[in-house]
Structure formats: C-alpha cells, structure tokens
C-alpha cells in the first residue's frame, strides 16, 4: 500500500505554555492541492511551517504527534536540509534575492555544488517555464529580479522553489499582495503545478480555495474543524462553524 504523501496525526504545537495547534489530523495524497482556510491567527501558517520544520527556528516551540512524508517521520532521522529541498516554500510577500533573475533560480542548485553552466541554464529555463514566466523574462535573465513586477516576482519565487525539485510546495497566501490579474495567473499556475506536485495552500480567499484545491481544511482557534473534499466543504459543510465562516458571518 502506497503511503499518503503527507500524514499528520495527533499533532500539538506549543509556544512555551501557549498551545497554538490542537490535535491536528491531516492527510494528503500525491498531486492533490489542499487549501487551508480560516480567520487570521488560527494556526494555518503555523501548520504549514511544520511541514518543512521552519518552526525549529523558534526556541520556545514544542511539537508532539507525528508528521510523515511518504511514510517517513520528518522529526526522526531525516536531514532537515534534505527535507527542505523536498518541501519547497513560497511566502505571502514575494522575496526575490538581490541578484539577477537567473541567479535567483540557480541559487539553490549552486549551493548544492552544481557549477556546470549548461546544466544550470537548463534548470533555470525548465523552472521558469514550469512557473509560466519564461516567455516574460528570457531576455532579462541578467537583469535584477527586483525590477520585475510583484506578480512576476512571486512566480520567480515559485520557479526558485521548483528548481530544487521538490515533491511538495507550501504556499502561504501567495496572492495576497498581488493585483487581480497577477492573482489569476498564480491560480492558473497552481492548476498546472498540481500535475507534478503536492501543494498545500493557505488562503483567505474563499473563491480561490474553491477554484484551485481538491481538499479544504477549515482552521479555527488552532483546531481543524472540518477537512474534506473542497466541493463538500463549500456545498455541504458538516459543521455550522464552517458554514458560518464560508458564508461570511464571521472571520
């Protein structure tokens, strides 16, 4: 039996004495997209940062429970550097490095020791094509990445993640700082990327969750109130709190 791509069981997370996540259970199969919805401060971003162990950087953070990727415990003997190459991250605000477009995408592979210019060029081109950005920047590869528009910078950050050949891509509100046109392009891109990657997406936009995801988890006060197929969550929620949030009664 093939294990789930992501399998989280009985997960609790504490910052000191404060419990930020409570008894989280979450499964996601390969090449599915899960949208995490819920009010600000309810634990969505905290949860996805567990999946590539970014919370390790917080001294007061304590985690119990199990997080498995392909059946392997990420808190066991798994190397953190290897984990973060397998689980890429795209943040809310585009954060290109202060270097050229080319070097942004090639950076991770250079850090892994790849120096062959032809190999790097192939990786950059392939990654930019997968991020639907190649045609817009192929003549600007030696220009500063910071000269790109906000939407282009975010797709560049996605290309930078793709270049590391991840299996999972985490996206923390990747369109919240973008205009509607750029948002639409990112949503189309997510639709294309799910053919090759497993994606976990934090979003405040209900329409975005309903359009791009296969599964939706509703977080509230550090708990997953409901987790199901997206169509079911939006058309036939099991919990009244889910219905109230989706319909705009609170949040």
């Amino acid at each position: 039996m093939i294990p789930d791509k992501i399998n989280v069981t009985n997960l609790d997370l504490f910052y000191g004495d404060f419990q930020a996540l409570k008894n989280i259970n979450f499964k996601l199969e390969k090449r599915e997209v899960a949208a995490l919805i819920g009010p600000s401060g309810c634990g969505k971003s905290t949860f996805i940062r567990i999946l590539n162990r970014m919370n390790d950087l917080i001294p007061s953070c304590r985690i119990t429970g199990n997080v498995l990727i392909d059946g392997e415990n990420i808190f066991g003997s798994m190397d953190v550097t290897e984990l973060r190459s397998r689980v890429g991250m795209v943040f809310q605000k585009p954060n290109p490095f202060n270097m050229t477009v080319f070097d942004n995408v090639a950076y991770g592979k250079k850090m892994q020791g790849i120096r062959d210019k032809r190999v790097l060029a192939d990786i950059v081109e392939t990654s930019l094509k997968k991020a639907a950005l190649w045609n817009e920047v192929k003549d600007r590869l030696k220009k500063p990445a910071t000269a790109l528009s906000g939407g282009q910078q975010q797709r560049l950050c996605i290309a930078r993640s793709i270049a590391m050949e991840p299996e999972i891509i985490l996206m923390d509100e990747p369109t919240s700082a973008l205009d509607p046109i750029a948002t639409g392009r990112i949503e189309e891109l997510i639709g294309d990327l799910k053919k090759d990657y497993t994606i976990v997406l934090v979003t405040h936009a209900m329409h975005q969750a309903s359009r791009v995801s296969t599964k939706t988890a509703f977080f509230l006060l550090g708990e997953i109130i409901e987790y199901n197929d997206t169509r079911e969550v939006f058309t036939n929620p099991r919990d009244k709190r889910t219905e109230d949030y989706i319909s705009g009664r609170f949040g």
Side-chain angles (χ1 to χ4, degrees):
M1 184 177 176
I2 299 172
D4 295 296
K5 192 67 185 176
I6 302 170
N7 187 347
V8 179
T9 53
N10 305 323
L11 181 94
D12 295 310
L13 180 143
F14 300 84
Y15 294 125
D17 295 329
F18 172 70
Q19 187 169 1
L21 292 175
K22 305 166 189 173
N23 195 34
I24 300 296
N25 292 279
F26 177 92
K27 290 183 178 181
L28 194 62
E29 294 180 12
K30 193 174 183 179
R31 298 191 185 97
E32 283 195 307
V33 180
L36 312 185
I37 63 172
S40 295
C42 66
K44 305 183 299 297
S45 296
T46 298
F47 174 67
I48 66 166
R49 287 165 185 261
I50 289 172
L51 300 178
N52 68 349
R53 291 184 55 178
M54 286 190 67
N55 291 306
D56 286 12
L57 305 172
I58 302 170
S60 65
C61 183
R62 178 169 59 87
I63 296 169
T64 62
N66 293 304
V67 180
L68 307 182
I69 291 179
D70 292 327
E72 185 178 357
N73 182 0
I74 70 168
F75 294 108
S77 59
M78 187 182 293
D79 179 73
V80 176
T81 303
E82 178 204 342
L83 172 67
R84 289 177 185 157
S85 67
R86 292 173 64 187
V87 184
M89 184 88 176
V90 178
F91 295 93
Q92 181 174 359
K93 187 177 179 182
N95 60 339
F97 301 146
N98 188 23
M99 53 182 69
T100 66
V101 170
F102 183 97
D103 287 339
N104 261 270
V105 182
Y107 182 82
K109 287 300 184 183
K110 285 183 177 179
M111 291 298 101
Q112 290 182 336
I114 295 176
R115 292 287 181 267
D116 187 303
K117 291 182 179 178
R118 185 172 297 176
V119 171
L120 289 171
D122 286 344
I123 291 169
V124 169
E125 180 174 347
T126 299
S127 302
L128 287 169
K129 282 180 175 176
K130 285 187 175 182
L133 189 58
W134 173 253
N135 288 336
E136 295 169 48
V137 301
K138 61 185 178 183
D139 298 322
R140 304 166 63 185
L141 296 177
K142 297 303 179 185
K143 301 288 186 183
T146 50
L148 300 178
S149 70
Q152 289 173 328
Q153 287 185 18
Q154 192 65 300
R155 279 181 284 149
L156 178 68
C157 293
I158 293 171
R160 190 172 67 198
S161 178
I162 289 170
M164 297 303 293
E165 302 173 74
E167 301 156 26
I168 298 166
I169 300 177
L170 312 175
M171 296 186 173
D172 192 356
E173 295 190 62
T175 63
S176 63
L178 305 180
D179 63 63
I181 292 174
T183 295
R185 285 180 178 159
I186 297 289
E187 289 180 5
E188 288 174 13
L189 176 57
I190 292 170
D192 290 334
L193 291 174
K194 70 181 178 184
K195 299 169 189 171
D196 299 307
Y197 307 96
T198 303
I199 299 172
V200 184
L201 167 74
V202 173
T203 180
H204 277 293
M206 297 301 99
H207 58 278
Q208 184 172 85
S210 65
R211 280 200 297 258
V212 306
S213 68
T214 51
K215 297 279 182 70
T216 295
F218 171 52
F219 278 70
L220 185 65
L221 298 175
E223 297 180 69
I224 292 182
I225 303 301
E226 188 160 347
Y227 180 48
N228 206 341
D229 291 342
T230 293
R231 184 184 294 274
E232 282 294 304
V233 171
F234 279 89
T235 62
N236 189 30
R238 296 174 182 172
D239 192 293
K240 189 173 188 304
R241 290 168 293 179
T242 310
E243 181 181 356
D244 287 347
Y245 181 74
I246 288 170
S247 61
R249 293 192 184 100
F250 75 95

